[in-house]
Amino acid sequence: MSNIFLKYLLALVLLTFFSTSFAEPKEEADEKPIVIMIGIDGLRADTLERMPAPYLRSLADSGVRASMIPAMPTKTFVNFYSLATGLHPKNHGFVSNYPYDRKIGRKFNRQTDVSDPKWWGGEPIWITAEKQGVKAATYFWVGSEVEIDGVRPSFWKPYQQDKDYAERVEEVLGWLALPEKERPRLITLYFSAVDSAAHDFGVGSAQERDAVAKVDQHIGDLLHGLNKLGLEPQTNIVVVADHGMVNLSDQRVINIDPWLDLSTFIIPDWSDERSSVHAPFLNLYAAPVSVDTAYTKLHKAHPNMRVLRRGNFPANYHFDHPQRGPDLMLLADPGWSIYASRDKRKPEPMAKLGRPVATHGYDNQDPLMHAIFIASGPAFNKKLTTAPFDNIEIYGLLACALKIKPSNTDGDIKNVQYLMAQDC
Ligand code: AMP
Ligand code: ZN
Ligand code: ZN
């Protein structure tokens, strides 16, 4: 064997040795992805076109971005739980913020039922993660206060609307600063300010703008913190909203009081202060005879209100849960509101009521109801803006980014594989 050949062989052996030993730590970093899902209530899909939000903009510019089609009805609990589980409302059970359950015999109670598994169907992504040994932490999310299959996120908190935003971000960074063995790799973080400002002051108001700027600044603080911790290279940031928002008007009110006495109906959404007199939709539960009467009286009552009977809901609504699907759904056109008072009050001007001046809950195909989606990080494609997709696909994207096995959902990762930089 020639000397040159021996040298060549030795070089090859050394090269292989060094390349594998140096490649290992990198591979390990790649194998331990972190996902932070940030939920911004009511952040409409077109927000970045309407106002400055430099940190959200930079995430969108570097990663992937799309409008997201929410589940029906386009309300908060319905959609944050679809995002978490990948399920349609007919399978997870939240057919409104306050579902009524025929078998349980009452409506959902926010004080007591948030931790009762019988209200919560499916498997949220943090449960899937924990079952596979990936620690999860929820800084608020609809459905995060309940034990499912005996499992909870390693870190979670009872919902607290007025919790300071800077403290939320600091605590999230505290979790990320933990030693690797204790550190959660799936984190959720939730902000309600944009939804509240838009409800109370309107889409396009200075208050909505300020709320977006405030949330954006806190996201900026989170990104700086990640950078300081050196965790940026393995972290995926996924920003989602539950629905959009549209302004209401006193000129677009459908007063159904003269048509029908609703006192014999169960109307769970009347628990919702904002929806009680100016509702985007009303789910009605009643005996068949009352349903027939209501349908006959209402179905041609107003050109801007649809009256949908159980069994005839549009196919893409997917919200006819066996125990919770309403007998009737009254659905206003976007920007219209249904006025139905319990006490036959005359419709009062919105300015006098003070709120709401904007709302959501309307048809999920309307672009004004579409929600923002931005994702940036090693698992996601770069500099890509794509067509709208359904929010039930988010669960699969999160599972793919975390490299865990998803449970069965109504989504199909093939529909959104193009958003990813890795095979799912
Ligand atoms: P909506 O009536 O659909 O606009 O609901 C928005 C409101 O939902 C927010 O202002 C919060 O008060 C409430 N909310 C959001 N997440 C949670 C949660 N995890 N637990 C209880 N309430 C929540
Ligand atoms: Zn919401
Ligand atoms: Zn809202």
Side-chain angles (χ1 to χ4, degrees):
M1 217 183 281
S2 81
N3 226 359
I4 290 189
F5 184 72
L6 270 177
K7 272 188 190 159
Y8 173 75
L9 205 66
L10 185 70
L12 204 68
V13 169
L14 283 176
L15 198 71
T16 318
F17 172 74
F18 278 116
S19 59
T20 50
S21 59
F22 282 126
E24 243 164 31
K26 187 181 169 293
E27 276 222 318
E28 210 162 67
D30 284 347
E31 273 169 15
K32 299 249 179 263
I34 294 170
V35 173
I36 305 177
M37 173 160 71
I38 305 171
I40 306 177
D41 204 309
L43 198 69
R44 207 165 82 177
D46 65 350
T47 308
L48 293 186
E49 277 71 57
R50 294 190 292 120
M51 61 191 81
Y55 292 106
L56 287 170
R57 164 63 65 191
S58 73
L59 289 169
D61 287 348
S62 66
V64 290
R65 182 181 170 198
S67 291
M68 209 162 43
I69 304 166
M72 270 308 277
T74 49
K75 284 295 220 174
T76 298
F77 273 55
V78 181
N79 279 286
F80 277 121
Y81 204 52
S82 279
L83 288 160
T85 57
L87 295 179
H88 293 306
K90 71 174 178 195
N91 292 323
H92 67 51
F94 275 80
V95 299
S96 89
N97 278 352
Y98 294 90
Y100 173 80
D101 189 300
R102 293 181 182 82
K103 205 160 135 201
I104 299 171
R106 62 175 176 84
K107 70 180 178 206
F108 179 77
N109 177 327
R110 263 196 208 177
Q111 266 63 53
T112 55
D113 297 332
V114 285
S115 56
D116 184 345
K118 68 173 174 285
W119 288 95
W120 304 91
E123 183 177 287
I125 187 70
W126 49 83
I127 303 291
T128 310
E130 290 279 349
K131 281 182 176 174
Q132 293 173 48
V134 172
K135 284 198 188 309
T138 50
Y139 211 119
F140 306 151
W141 203 272
V142 169
S144 63
E145 296 173 48
V146 61
E147 189 177 289
I148 291 181
D149 297 339
V151 180
R152 280 183 184 277
S154 294
F155 306 87
W156 63 276
K157 290 163 178 296
Y159 184 65
Q160 207 190 325
Q161 171 99 359
D162 56 2
K163 181 75 187 176
D164 183 71
Y165 284 11
E167 283 176 36
R168 298 184 197 196
V169 170
E170 266 167 39
E171 264 187 82
V172 165
L173 289 169
W175 286 332
L176 289 165
L178 288 170
E180 200 183 328
K181 275 208 169 117
E182 295 158 49
R183 183 191 305 151
R185 290 206 285 113
L186 167 64
I187 296 178
T188 74
L189 177 60
Y190 166 80
F191 299 111
S192 63
V194 176
D195 178 81
S196 304
H199 276 299
D200 294 349
F201 301 99
V203 177
S205 64
Q207 287 85 348
E208 183 205 22
R209 216 180 159 85
D210 290 349
V212 170
K214 171 178 156 174
V215 170
D216 187 66
Q217 184 57 55
H218 288 290
I219 292 173
D221 294 343
L222 176 69
L223 298 176
H224 288 132
L226 269 171
N227 185 273
K228 265 200 203 149
L229 289 168
L231 292 172
E232 232 177 3
Q234 74 212 68
T235 302
N236 299 285
I237 305 280
V238 179
V239 179
V240 291
D242 46 349
H243 49 69
M245 188 74 74
V246 61
N247 285 334
L248 297 169
S249 161
D250 287 318
Q251 272 68 57
R252 294 192 298 264
V253 175
I254 305 162
N255 181 6
I256 64 168
D257 274 353
W259 294 85
L260 190 65
D261 178 5
L262 287 177
S263 59
T264 59
F265 290 79
I266 295 170
I267 306 180
D269 290 288
W270 269 347
S271 313
D272 197 331
E273 198 198 328
R274 284 190 180 116
S275 271
S276 59
V277 287
H278 284 287
F281 72 92
L282 286 175
N283 284 345
L284 307 183
Y285 299 78
V289 54
S290 305
V291 173
D292 286 344
T293 311
Y295 184 79
T296 310
K297 286 195 173 171
L298 290 178
H299 83 283
K300 285 192 176 145
H302 198 286
N304 299 102
M305 179 176 74
R306 289 157 75 190
V307 181
L308 306 169
R309 281 193 88 136
R310 196 167 194 213
N312 275 328
F313 299 137
N316 67 328
Y317 282 11
H318 303 292
F319 86 128
D320 198 0
H321 183 272
Q323 289 154 229
R324 304 183 193 171
D327 295 306
L328 271 187
M329 181 194 218
L330 312 183
L331 180 63
D333 286 346
W336 286 79
S337 58
I338 300 169
Y339 183 93
S341 71
R342 276 157 285 196
D343 49 8
K344 300 274 171 215
R345 265 179 299 159
K346 278 217 169 85
E348 292 184 82
M350 284 169 203
K352 192 171 165 223
L353 290 169
R355 66 212 288 228
V357 298
T359 199
H360 52 89
Y362 302 105
D363 189 283
N364 60 351
Q365 299 306 312
D366 192 294
L368 297 174
M369 290 299 106
H370 289 182
I372 212 162
F373 164 79
I374 298 167
S376 177
F380 291 91
N381 256 324
K382 310 274 172 278
K383 300 181 191 295
L384 189 66
T385 300
T386 75
F389 64 89
D390 292 332
N391 71 358
I392 51 162
E393 306 294 358
I394 290 293
Y395 172 100
L397 292 178
L398 301 172
C400 178
L402 283 167
K403 300 185 177 168
I404 58 175
K405 192 173 168 295
S407 74
N408 285 334
T409 69
D410 293 320
D412 183 346
I413 193 67
K414 287 196 224 77
N415 294 337
V416 282
Q417 170 68 65
Y418 60 86
L419 295 169
M420 306 303 286
Q422 63 198 36
D423 278 343
C424 298

